[in-house]
């Protein structure tokens, strides 16, 4: 990255926004493929059964379109969260490489950049994430409790008008922590696995990328699922007849969950969550690589 920056000086607006545009676009393309798995993951976390049961019931009772319910919110989330996360990560690592005299960054510095980028992206993308969770969970509620959001923008409008603008960041704390944990697990394991597969095992470039991405996805899932579980519970909770919410906050949710189901309760739906995270990681980078290749051919 340091050499590229020296040979192609950044001048104008496009070089500055390019990492953000490319990151968001690759994340949105990956989401179009992953959305059904993400939908099933949320339903499992809400206690609707195994992956097979959830899929069968959704197709039978709601039709194939139910697998893509909340897609608009998912795309909006990528347009905000992944745009900010990958864009800021690129900027942060480029600045760090400059400060390191163009030398490759040590693993801990990449991890710190990933933690920071994850926090930035999650803060910006939290409203869209809230809309996505609510739209995916809506069909699991009683008819009288359903919010019936038409799309992501309608959800954001309703949340703002009914609950106030700060409600858009309900659950933002665990969302940010989850994003930091996910980026930490993803980046640290990916770099180490690439070196191992390439240098020690001698795999080809394609096999190295696929294998390292899969390992990276596993550790990203393992690090982030407990926070994702708490975030989901906070974002989808409804007040009872007395207007009292089941949890007072993220810590209260975590403690009650631990007391009721033990530590493994936080890993409800882990196989599906891992299957969802790993392909999304791989496809995001594959799409990003293809976008960058295309831009290079047209001189962008």
């Amino acid at each position: 990255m340091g050499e590229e920056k020296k040979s192609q000086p950044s001048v104008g607006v496009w070089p500055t926004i390019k990492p953000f545009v490319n990151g968001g676009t690759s994340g949105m393309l990956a989401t179009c493929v992953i959305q059904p798995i993400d939908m099933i993951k949320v339903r499992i976390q809400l206690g609707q059964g195994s992956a097979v049961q959830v899929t069968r019931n959704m197709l039978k009772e709601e039709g194939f379109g139910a697998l893509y319910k909340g897609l608009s919110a998912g795309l909006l989330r990528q347009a905000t969260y992944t745009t900010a996360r990958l864009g800021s990560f690129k900027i942060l690592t480029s600045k760090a490489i400059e400060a390191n005299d163009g030398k490759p960054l040590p693993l801990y510095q990449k991890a710190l950049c990933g933690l920071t980028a994850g926090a930035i992206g999650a803060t910006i993308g939290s409203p869209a994430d809230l809309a996505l969770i609510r739209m995916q969970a809506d069909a699991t509620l009683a008819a009288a409790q359903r919010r019936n959001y038409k799309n992501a923008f309608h959800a954001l409008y309703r949340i703002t008008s009914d609950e106030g603008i700060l409600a858009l960041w309900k659950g933002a704390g665990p969302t940010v922590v989850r994003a930091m944990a996910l980026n930490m697990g993803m980046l640290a394991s990916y770099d180490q696995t690439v070196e191992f597969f390439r240098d020690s095992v001698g795999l080809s470039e394609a096999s190295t990328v696929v294998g390292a991405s899969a390992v990276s996805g596993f550790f990203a899932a393992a690090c982030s699922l407990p926070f994702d579980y708490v975030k989901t519970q906070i974002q989808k909770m409804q007040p009872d007849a007395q207007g009292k919410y089941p949890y007072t906050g993220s810590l209260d949710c975590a403690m009650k969950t631990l007391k009721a189901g033990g530590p493994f309760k936080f890993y409800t739906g882990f196989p599906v969550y891992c299957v969802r995270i790993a392909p999304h990681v791989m496809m995001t980078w594959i799409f990003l690589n293809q976008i960058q290749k295309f831009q290079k051919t047209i001189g962008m």
Side-chain angles (χ1 to χ4, degrees), residues 72-91:
S72 62
L75 293 176
L76 180 61
R77 179 179 183 273
Q78 293 300 318
T80 52
Y81 168 63
T82 300
T83 296
R85 177 182 65 147
L86 294 186
S88 59
F89 179 71
K90 176 75 171 177
I91 298 298

Side-chain angles (χ1 to χ4, degrees), residues 22-82:
N22 290 351
T25 302
S26 61
M28 291 171 75
L29 290 171
T31 291
C32 290
V33 181
I34 295 301
Q35 179 70 13
I37 299 176
D38 193 40
M39 183 70 182
I40 292 168
K41 181 266 298 184
V42 170
R43 293 290 183 90
I44 291 173
Q45 288 182 330
L46 296 177
Q48 291 199 330
S50 67
V52 174
Q53 291 173 326
V54 167
T55 304
R56 184 174 60 243
N57 291 339
M58 286 178 65
L59 292 175
K60 181 180 178 181
E61 298 172 9
E62 305 172 57
F64 181 78
L67 293 173
Y68 281 91
K69 190 167 187 179
L71 178 60
S72 62
L75 293 176
L76 180 61
R77 179 179 183 273
Q78 293 300 318
T80 52
Y81 168 63
T82 300

